[in-house]
Every structure is written in C-alpha cells, then in structure tokens.
Amino acid sequence: MAGAYDDRDGKIWLDGKLVEWRDANVHILSHALHYASSVFEGERAYNGKIFKSVEHSERLLKSGELLDMPIPYTVEELEKAKYEALEANGLTDAYVRVVAWRGAGEDMGVASAKNPVRVAVACWEWGAYYGDAKMKGAKLDIAKWKRPSPETIPTAAKAAGLYMICTMSKHAAEAKGCSDALFMDYRGYVAEATGANVFFVKDGEVHTPIPDAILNGITRQTIIAMLKDKGINVIERHIMPEELADFEQCWLTGTAAEVTPVGQIGEHTFEVGDITRDVAESYEALVRA
C-alpha cells in the first residue's frame, strides 16, 4: 500500500463498522483536533497474529481513563475490531493503529463531556521504522525538549498530545541527518527516544531508564523479561547523560521500532555488539512464533 494516508484503497473500522478507507473522515470541529483529546495504540501483526494485542487494548482503555475519556468498547470488542480490519484488508503482516478521540458534539471549549468518544482501527503494511538503521545502527540527536514531570502530564497514557515535542524533536533530528532524537527528562536524566524506549550495555549488564516520567512500553517490558530469561542482569535506574560515554552498546525498543540498534547518540558511538544482535534476533523469533 502506497500513497497519502487519506487516499488509499481498503477498509477502516470506524465506530463499529467497516467503511471505505477514503470515507473514514471526521468533522473539522472534532474536539480532539483542537484540544488533543485523543489516545492511540500502535501494534504489529505477524503471520496473522497481533503481538501482545490484548495488552495494547487494555492500555488503550487505561489511557482513555487517564484522560477522563471513557472508551465505549470492551477489550473483547476492540480485539474483534482489529482482526476484522486485518481480514478486510487481506493483511497478515501489518501495522495496526487503534485510535480513540473526542468527536464533534455539543461542546467546543476545553470541556467536552457531552461529546461522543469515537474509535477507529486502521492497518497497513509497514516495514522497518528506521529503514536500514535497523541493520547499521541508528544515529540519534539530543532533543532540546525535556520529558515533563508526571505532575504535569499523565505519563502512563499513550496520548496524542504528549507527542507534540516528539514531532518537533524528530524533525530537528532528521534535518541533521539523524534517525531520531533522545530526550532527557525534566530532572536531566536520560529518558527515551521520540517513540521508543532505550537500553544500554556495559560490562555484560543492561541498563535502562526507570519509567517514572516516560511510557513503560509493552515492547520494553517484553525485552526486559527476555533478557532476564537469558540470565542477563537488567538494571532499571536513573541514567545521567554523561554516562553515555561509558556504554558499549545501545538499542531502541517499540512496536514500530521493534529492536533497533543505535550506533551514535550525539558525539557518543556504540558498537552493534553480541547482546544487541541476540536481543534483536530473539525478539524477531518471538513475535513470529
């Protein structure tokens, strides 16, 4: 599937029924467009099975709850919708995007309790998120923006509005020839990339930021469990930016990113070493099992 995302053949599941791709539209006065009242999930299907699908559906409902936006579907109904969308588009290996938002209604100010919460599921073929960086190692810029305090945003929600600084930071990174950008958090600790969690290797041990100001990614949790099963010590802790010089390997994790090696962050370089390659290969085997 190619072309602009609003001009394609196929079906999108929208508010309980499958509609033609080009007809899956919303009104210009949808609350989400003006006030970011929107949450979403990004998922991948491998060989016809959506990896960690139920966990993603559960998180979507939790995200809606955190935004005071109750989503009018159960986990079971969301699961059915996702597989209906895959089948309608004839896809077995695909990216699956589930989004819920406050639509147009009686409210058009900050408050929106009277407006309906709408839900859609779209899916399409999507290769490696970082292109050939998945093999060579991604190059990351250092973002000028900081991940905010959990006292200012619901960090456990996968909410559209929280990605504003991600878009700006990734644009700035790409203008410098980088694949992505690494955030620090409001305290100055290493946080995450614009759409992926980060891991580091030093002396055979794996270090990763505590998710106390970032989203605790489902892929992140999967990789931590995998590493522990392999007998590799995983240390979740606050990481200072000056420590980047001491790490030997680095990788990113996320549904879109899967496991992507990192070759450079700012002035710091990393090897695509044995642990990184093993994790990437093991994750690929797991999702296709």
Side-chain angles (χ1 to χ4, degrees), residues 57-68:
S57 293
E58 291 172 342
R59 188 171 66 181
L60 183 81
L61 296 183
K62 180 64 175 178
S63 294
E65 178 184 325
L66 289 169
L67 266 65
D68 193 26

Side-chain angles (χ1 to χ4, degrees), residues 190-256:
V190 173
E192 62 182 349
T194 63
N197 294 117
V198 64
F199 289 78
F200 301 97
V201 176
K202 181 180 179 182
D203 298 330
E205 295 183 317
V206 174
H207 302 250
T208 190
I210 298 171
D212 57 358
I214 57 175
L215 191 70
N216 185 10
I218 291 172
T219 308
R220 175 188 185 274
Q221 296 171 53
T222 301
I223 294 300
I224 289 174
M226 178 188 295
L227 289 165
K228 290 180 177 179
D229 287 344
K230 291 175 178 290
I232 297 173
N233 191 30
V234 180
I235 304 167
E236 297 181 72
R237 65 179 180 88
H238 293 138
I239 298 172
M240 296 299 295
E242 52 266 29
E243 294 184 69
L244 294 177
D246 300 326
F247 293 123
E248 302 146 9
Q249 302 174 47
C250 177
W251 69 78
L252 302 176
T253 65
T255 294

Side-chain angles (χ1 to χ4, degrees), residues 129-130 140-141 143 147 163 166 169 180-184 190-198 214 252-253 257 262:
Y129 183 63
Y130 291 108
L140 272 58
D141 186 27
R147 267 291 170 215
Y163 283 77
C166 299
S169 298
D180 205 346
L182 181 72
F183 285 110
M184 306 304 153
V190 173
E192 62 182 349
T194 63
N197 294 117
V198 64
I214 57 175
L252 302 176
T253 65
V262 174

Side-chain angles (χ1 to χ4, degrees), residues 11 32 49 53 97 103 113 128 155 211 214 226 266 275 287:
K11 302 280 188 179
K49 183 179 179 181
S53 184
R97 171 59 56 89
T155 55
I214 57 175
M226 178 188 295
I275 293 179
V287 299

Side-chain angles (χ1 to χ4, degrees), residues 155-174:
T155 55
K158 193 170 178 66
L162 306 187
Y163 283 77
M164 177 181 65
I165 59 173
C166 299
T167 298
M168 292 188 290
S169 298
K170 185 149 185 170
H171 286 173
E174 290 178 342

